[in-house]
Each structure stands twice: as structure tokens, then as C-alpha cells.
Amino acid sequence: MDFVEILKVVVLGIIEGVTEWLPISSTGHMILADEFIKLSITPEFKEMFLVVIQLGAILAVVLLYFRKLNPFALSKTPAERRDTVILWLKVLVAILPAAIIGIPFNDEIDKLFYNYQTVTVTLIVYGVLFILLENRNRGRKPLVKDFSQLTYKTAALIGVFQVLALIPGTSRSGATILGAILLGTSRYVAAEFSFFLSIPVMFGASAIKLLKFGFHFTNDEWVILLTGMVVAFAVSVLAIKFLMGYIKKHDFKVFGWYRIVLGIVVAIYFMFFAK
């Protein structure tokens, strides 16, 4: 495999690592990237690669939050272990809506909505919603400031918002963060809960794609897959740390404006420049 192909994979890994965690839609960025970065791979492998590369991003969450998410950590008190188990139960409750709808209907949803028109609309609409929500919340104190205050009902409702992310361009993190804040959580709780939800969701999606494709990779395919995952992992660590530091002092409006601009760029490119 030549250096240029490896460089393309590195760029895609960087895009995945950044956009998976910031509420700006990894799909919207990947659609644009696909217009300029053409990997020498089969369409079947490409479809699988763009999902399984997320495993690298997920491992970043596991690394950064290992103690918080590990109910068996010896350094935890019995009460802390119990709280960790309860947190995982809330995560499981929250992923049920997406699992019930996403698993049987994912292919149909992609066929209907995986196009630049849908991505353009969802980028802009959710960008506007972020700005409106932050304007509405100005001066308000969140009702849920830590996970002990997060009820199972609220977790389930956040899971309903995650279903919206099945529509390309919505952004999984964007939908869950927006929904969580709307339901009264702090930005910090909303972002962290979105990260935790991603673990079973993205592991499941990757497992399904791997099983459908099979494990008979060529040497070049192994290099592409592993390179993409490693880069996505490293960049995800930085992106998550950046986001959690950023929202301590700022709101999400900048991401809303970014989505609007990206949506306009996607629309203009595909209407006037794409072949």
C-alpha cells in the first residue's frame, strides 16, 4: 500500500475522531470527505470501514472514563460500585428506543435519507435548535447536575432523542445532548451521558457490520482498518478532553452556528460543483 492511501486513511480517522464527539455530525463531514478522498477499496469494505472505524473512537471513551464506568474497580467503595451499576442500567434503558427502531429499520432509513438533501436540512435545523435552546436556557439553572439526579424516565426520554440520530446529518451526540439539555440536565451531564450511550450503540453497530462483511480481510484492508481506528482513537481522546473543558465555560451555540455553515456548504457544493 502506498503512502498516499495511508494518508487518506489518516485524514478520515481525524475527521471521525473529531466529529464523533462534537455535536456537528460525523455523517455530514464524511459525505463531504468522500467527495475528495477516494480510497482504493471495494464499496462493501468502504461501507464497513466507515462504521467500524468508530471502534477506535469508542475505546477513547473507555480509556478516559474507565474508572467511572467500571463497577468492579477495587478503589471504589460499595456505594460507588452500586452507583456505577445504576448508571449502566440507565444507559441500557436509554439505548432501548434506538435498538428497537434502528436494528430492524436501519437499512431502510439509510436508503430513504442518506443523501445530501437530508444531511443539509438536518445540519441546519439542529444548528438552529442548539442556538434557540441555549438562548432559552440563558440564566436558568439545570435540574440535573449529576448522574444521581438522572431518573430512569429522563434516561429513557434521552434515548428517544437518540432515535432522531438515525436520520443522517442529525449527529448522535448532537441529538442526545440537545435532548438531555431540553430535559433539564447540565451541559456536562448531557455530554458525558451521550459518551456513555455511544459505547453499546457503536459496539453493536460495528459488530453487525463486521459480521455482515466477514473477517476475510486482505493485508491492505487490515492496514486501512487498523490505521483508521488508531488515528480515530488518538484524536477522540483530544476531542473529548477539548469538549469537556470547553463546556465548563461556554455553551453549545458555536456548534449550532458551525452546523448551519456546514449545511450551507454541503448544499452549495452538491448543487453547483459535484459531478
Side-chain angles (χ1 to χ4, degrees), residues 89-107:
L89 290 175
K90 291 173 182 176
V91 168
L92 292 176
V93 166
I95 67 171
L96 286 177
I100 292 170
I101 296 175
I103 292 175
F105 300 112
N106 186 61
D107 290 341

Side-chain angles (χ1 to χ4, degrees), residues 177-206:
I177 289 172
L178 189 71
I181 294 175
L182 192 61
L183 293 166
T185 75
S186 68
R187 297 185 189 97
Y188 213 85
V189 169
E192 283 199 338
F193 197 61
S194 173
F195 297 159
F196 302 159
L197 287 183
S198 70
I199 296 174
V201 169
M202 291 164 65
F203 265 121
S206 297

Side-chain angles (χ1 to χ4, degrees), residues 187-188 192 241-252:
R187 297 185 189 97
Y188 213 85
E192 283 199 338
K241 287 183 175 181
F242 162 77
L243 181 64
M244 300 313 290
Y246 181 85
I247 61 176
K248 287 180 179 179
K249 298 180 180 179
H250 306 87
D251 59 27
F252 283 100

Side-chain angles (χ1 to χ4, degrees), residues 16-30:
E16 167 61 27
V18 171
T19 61
E20 191 59 55
W21 308 114
L22 306 187
I24 53 178
S25 175
S26 58
T27 303
H29 289 79
M30 284 298 189

